Amino acid sequence: QVQVVESGGGLVQTGGSLRLSCVVLGSTFKSNTLGWFRQAPGKQREMVAFSTFHNRHGYNDSVKGRFTISRDNSKNTLYLQMNNLKPEDTAIYYCNVGRWEDGGYFPTNFWGQGTQVTVSS
């Protein structure tokens, strides 16, 4: 019922920028916490950033000051502006519909297919 579709990935040089988009189709978008995750080869999937419906944001320490998460509820879209990209940012980036419970983010099983971000040195 809920569909999650990411886009905006690509190949950039170190120091470049990309803007990822995530369209979430379903009746739960307006009430759900959303998050960006990434998974690099040989590593576990990790949270990059999250955004609640009321615009409470959080970031992985590795991207603070470089990435900005935002959302447009009228368009059912989540964004991730990535600036000053580094080779270590290379990964598949996934959008997730989450839940905010007991002061923390809990991912649900609603994931997008992922979009590849590659940063060359």
Side-chain angles (χ1 to χ4, degrees):
Q1 184 176 356
V2 176
Q3 291 184 292
V4 183
V5 183
E6 305 99 334
S7 63
L11 173 64
V12 298
Q13 297 184 103
T14 297
S17 298
L18 286 172
R19 183 177 176 85
L20 306 184
S21 298
C22 168
V23 178
V24 180
L25 303 176
S27 61
T28 64
F29 183 88
K30 294 182 178 180
S31 61
N32 273 318
T33 291
L34 301 169
W36 283 103
F37 291 73
R38 67 185 181 187
Q39 187 165 22
K43 296 184 178 180
Q44 294 186 344
R45 189 171 299 185
E46 65 177 1
M47 174 176 283
V48 176
F50 71 83
S51 174
T52 72
F53 179 76
H54 300 289
N55 289 319
R56 297 170 67 179
H57 301 158
Y59 297 91
N60 187 302
D61 286 341
S62 67
V63 306
K64 286 182 178 179
R66 299 188 298 118
F67 291 10
T68 302
I69 191 170
S70 62
R71 61 196 290 165
D72 187 338
N73 292 327
S74 68
K75 297 181 179 179
N76 294 345
T77 303
L78 180 73
Y79 302 98
L80 185 68
Q81 178 66 46
M82 306 185 294
N83 297 325
N84 192 24
L85 284 161
K86 304 175 180 180
E88 49 263 46
D89 295 318
T90 295
I92 300 176
Y93 284 70
Y94 299 91
C95 182
N96 175 251
V97 178
R99 292 180 286 106
W100 188 259
E101 297 180 348
D102 298 324
Y105 184 98
F106 291 84
T108 70
N109 291 324
F110 296 111
W111 297 88
Q113 81 288 345
T115 185
Q116 178 71 49
V117 171
T118 303
V119 185
S120 62
S121 60

